[in-house]
């Protein structure tokens, strides 16, 4: 179960009449532990689900959430750790960044719709998107927390944030890129966080050996949706891989008719049987996938691909480029758990369009820069905080 699912579950478990607040990171400048879109649900008894940082300012968020629950009014809080003076406040965050957190009451239709979107994205193969007003300028007739949503099936809901908002949400989904936008509205301007909500990673492993178990365990900890396909059709696999979301008993020649695959599917082939790998790859190489990896040494993979290409050099090269083989990152893995770590790490790197190199060798920021469509919202922009938020909000 991933973080979004845990928040949805916690929200659904709220007892009638009990209050809660939802805190969302809506903008980040410089360094921070979490990026925009990180969420935390706070119940009135102080129980929390999710995280906004490494524990740096969660307590302060909880204190402010209690006030939000009592007043029903959302607030935008700014945590500034770019100065060494933050040690004076007893927190000593030292992250060297500015994080803005929107805290809003959770007992309303807006958050209920948001939870529905998060739930649908978790089970879908398509992303959704959310537009949330987190700041207004002038006498703009727009309340903080106003939102518009686009569900994975393309349907829309929510309030009218700006004339082009649903077009902008659709564009964000197509580009899979979240951003901050500034819209002119009646009486002023609204600053809107447009967030793309990605579906769960859908991992399909062909093979049911004991070395698949640590892959399933790692994927489960990451909240990925995992399907194990046993091409030897052994009933014992249902019990062996009980942590997987699904276990299928399927002959290697029936892959495309029995296994649900999408363009975003992540597929690993590790049957440890040459002929089964050959048949599975014969079918998988005909469909678009987000990632396709095959366990085994380089010479074995080249032999497989050469056989599949019927000696055609062009087809051989094209198929070989599609395959991640030998699979995994070069971390010196030897044992099944280490090999699983190597494989899952490579998959994550590919999904994030990264190389998997050491962070100390990466030039520039660890995180990709957050896009903005307005020159007034450059990485150095500064928004005023409500009068009641002066102090910690401006000094931390």
């Amino acid at each position: 179960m991933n973080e979004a699912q845990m928040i949805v579950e916690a929200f659904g478990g709220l007892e009638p009449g009990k209050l809660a607040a939802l805190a969302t990171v809506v903008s980040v400048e410089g360094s921070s532990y979490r990026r925009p879109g990180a969420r935390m649900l706070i119940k009135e008894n102080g129980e929390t689900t999710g995280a906004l940082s490494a524990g740096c300012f969660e307590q302060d968020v909880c204190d402010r959430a209690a006030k939000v629950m009592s007043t029903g009014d959302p607030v935008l809080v700014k945590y500034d750790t770019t100065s060494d003076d933050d040690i004076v406040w007893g927190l000593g965050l030292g992250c060297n960044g500015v994080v803005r957190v929107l805290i809003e009451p959770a007992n309303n239709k807006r958050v209920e719709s948001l939870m529905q979107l998060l739930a649908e994205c978790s089970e879908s193969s398509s992303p959704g998107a959310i537009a949330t007003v987190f700041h207004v300028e002038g006498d703009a007739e727009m309340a903080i927390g106003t939102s518009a949503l686009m569900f994975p099936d393309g349907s829309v809901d929510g309030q009218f944030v700006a004339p082009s908002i649903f077009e902008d949400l659709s564009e964000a989904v197509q580009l899979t890129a979240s951003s901050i936008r500034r819209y002119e509205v009646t009486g002023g301007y609204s600053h809107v966080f447009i967030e793309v909500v990605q579906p769960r990673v859908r991992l399909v492993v062909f093979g049911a050996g004991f070395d698949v178990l640590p892959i399933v365990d790692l994927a489960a900890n990451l909240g990925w949706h995992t399907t194990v396909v046993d091409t030897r059709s052994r009933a014992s696999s249902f019990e062996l891989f009980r942590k997987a979301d699904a276990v299928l008993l399927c002959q290697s020649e029936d892959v495309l008719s029995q296994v649900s695959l999408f363009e975003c599917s992540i597929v690993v082939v590790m049957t440890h049987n040459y002929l089964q790998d050959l048949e599975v790859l014969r079918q998988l190489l005909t469909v678009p996938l987000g990632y396709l990896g095959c366990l085994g040494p380089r010479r074995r993979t080249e032999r497989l691909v050469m056989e599949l290409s019927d000696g055609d050099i062009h087809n051989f090269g094209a198929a070989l480029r599609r395959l991640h083989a030998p699979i995994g990152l070069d971390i010196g893995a030897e044992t099944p758990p280490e090999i699983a770590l190597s494989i899952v790490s490579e998959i994550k790197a590919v999904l994030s369009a990264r190389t998997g190199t050491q962070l100390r060798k990466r030039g520039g920021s660890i995180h990709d820069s957050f896009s903005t469509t307005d020159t007034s919202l450059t990485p150095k922009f500064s928004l005023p905080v409500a009068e009641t938020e002066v102090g910690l909000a401006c000094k931390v």
Side-chain angles (χ1 to χ4, degrees), residues 307-367:
E307 226 177 303
L308 291 170
S309 304
D310 295 323
D312 186 314
I313 297 300
H314 174 75
N315 291 336
F316 172 81
L320 203 58
R321 284 191 294 273
R322 281 199 61 193
L323 270 179
H324 289 267
I327 193 172
L329 296 183
D330 182 10
I331 60 172
E334 294 286 346
T335 65
E338 291 171 348
I339 293 169
L341 176 62
S342 168
I343 292 171
V344 172
S345 296
E346 181 185 61
I347 292 171
K348 174 55 183 172
V350 170
L351 291 175
S352 303
R354 296 294 184 89
T355 62
T357 189
Q358 294 174 315
L359 285 175
R360 67 175 184 171
K361 294 182 179 179
R362 175 178 169 83
S365 173
I366 292 176
H367 297 290

Side-chain angles (χ1 to χ4, degrees), residues 60 74 155 301 343 376:
D60 185 71
S155 61
T301 301
I343 292 171
S376 68

Side-chain angles (χ1 to χ4, degrees), residues 100-388:
R100 289 181 175 83
V101 179
L102 175 65
I103 309 173
E104 57 187 318
N107 306 79
N108 56 46
K109 188 178 183 304
R110 169 217 144 39
V111 175
E112 183 178 327
S113 297
L114 169 61
M115 293 298 162
Q116 181 185 344
L117 183 144
L118 293 178
E120 290 189 16
C121 286
S122 291
E123 298 306 320
S124 173
S125 61
S126 302
I130 309 162
T132 305
V133 175
F134 67 89
H135 177 70
V136 294
E137 295 179 45
D139 297 320
E141 297 178 4
M142 185 76 64
I144 290 178
T146 300
S147 63
L149 303 93
M150 178 168 286
F151 290 82
D153 63 0
S155 61
V156 295
D157 189 21
Q159 296 167 283
F160 202 63
V161 177
S164 64
I165 192 61
F166 293 119
E167 293 178 10
D168 294 339
L169 286 173
S170 180
E171 179 186 44
V173 166
Q174 291 175 7
L175 298 176
T176 63
S178 300
S179 63
I180 292 175
R181 300 203 178 197
R182 180 173 179 262
Y183 294 96
E184 184 173 3
V185 295
T186 303
Y189 295 88
S190 65
H191 295 261
V192 178
F193 171 41
I194 295 183
E195 175 192 1
V196 176
V197 181
Q198 296 290 353
R200 290 171 71 191
V201 175
R202 305 184 76 86
L203 171 66
V204 181
V205 182
F206 287 91
F210 284 99
D211 56 345
V212 176
L213 281 169
I215 293 179
V216 172
D217 288 342
L218 281 173
N221 288 335
L222 292 169
W224 294 2
H225 182 285
T226 307
T227 300
V228 174
V229 182
D230 185 355
T231 53
R232 297 183 184 181
S233 299
R234 295 164 294 192
S236 59
S237 291
F238 289 109
E239 175 61 22
L240 183 62
F241 298 103
R242 55 186 176 275
K243 283 189 178 182
D245 294 275
V247 176
L248 300 177
L249 307 184
C250 170
Q251 298 298 316
S252 54
E253 60 269 20
D254 298 325
V255 166
L256 294 186
S257 62
Q258 298 295 319
V259 184
S260 296
L261 296 171
F262 307 92
E263 289 190 23
C264 63
S265 293
I266 305 302
V267 178
V268 174
V269 179
M270 48 190 304
T271 72
H272 295 285
N273 181 292
Y274 183 86
L275 294 179
Q276 288 188 15
D277 279 3
L278 183 69
E279 184 55 42
V280 169
L281 288 173
R282 188 189 307 279
Q283 297 174 71
L284 294 178
L285 286 169
T286 66
V287 296
L289 297 169
Y291 173 99
L292 177 58
C294 185
L295 185 70
R298 191 183 309 276
R299 290 185 64 182
R300 180 180 186 272
T301 301
E302 291 176 348
R303 180 184 170 190
L304 281 167
V305 175
M306 183 62 74
E307 226 177 303
L308 291 170
S309 304
D310 295 323
D312 186 314
I313 297 300
H314 174 75
N315 291 336
F316 172 81
L320 203 58
R321 284 191 294 273
R322 281 199 61 193
L323 270 179
H324 289 267
I327 193 172
L329 296 183
D330 182 10
I331 60 172
E334 294 286 346
T335 65
E338 291 171 348
I339 293 169
L341 176 62
S342 168
I343 292 171
V344 172
S345 296
E346 181 185 61
I347 292 171
K348 174 55 183 172
V350 170
L351 291 175
S352 303
R354 296 294 184 89
T355 62
T357 189
Q358 294 174 315
L359 285 175
R360 67 175 184 171
K361 294 182 179 179
R362 175 178 169 83
S365 173
I366 292 176
H367 297 290
D368 292 328
S369 59
F370 196 66
S371 64
T372 175
T373 59
D374 188 272
T375 54
S376 68
L377 289 176
T378 64
K380 296 297 183 182
F381 82 101
S382 178
L383 297 178
V385 181
E387 190 71 22
T388 54

